[in-house]
Amino acid sequence: MADEQAKRDRPPWLQFAAIGLVALYALLFVILNTHRAKVSFVFGTTRISVIWVILLSLAVGFVLGVLGTRLNRRRKRRG
């Protein structure tokens, strides 16, 4: 109930300002990480922008986290 009251008391522009700041940060993050880096994979080497290395790492980490969680749940069910 108090959470609903706090939401009503916030000025409406505050949410838009927060979204704008996050979008600005993301844009600057991409712009500042466009230089190329040499990346060695198990199967080869390539040169790609640092931002792609970061995004690929984020995606792989997310997938491994989801799979790890599912595996842990399955093990607990088998008991």
Side-chain angles (χ1 to χ4, degrees):
M1 180 107 167
D3 189 39
E4 290 177 21
Q5 181 64 33
K7 284 182 182 179
R8 281 184 285 204
D9 291 342
R10 285 187 211 140
W13 58 267
L14 189 62
Q15 184 176 6
F16 293 112
I19 292 170
L21 284 174
V22 169
L24 179 63
Y25 177 79
L27 180 64
L28 287 173
F29 184 77
V30 169
I31 291 170
L32 294 174
N33 288 296
T34 57
H35 61 281
R36 297 174 86 63
K38 182 179 176 182
V39 180
S40 297
F41 296 98
V42 175
F43 50 84
T45 301
T46 188
R47 291 187 63 82
I48 57 176
S49 295
V50 174
I51 189 65
W52 291 113
V53 174
I54 294 168
L55 292 176
L56 178 63
S57 299
L58 179 68
V60 169
F62 178 77
V63 168
L64 290 176
V66 169
L67 291 176
T69 301
R70 288 186 179 192
L71 181 61
N72 193 23
R73 284 183 189 165
R74 181 177 282 177
R75 285 182 182 174
K76 285 183 179 182
R77 284 186 197 153
R78 290 184 182 176

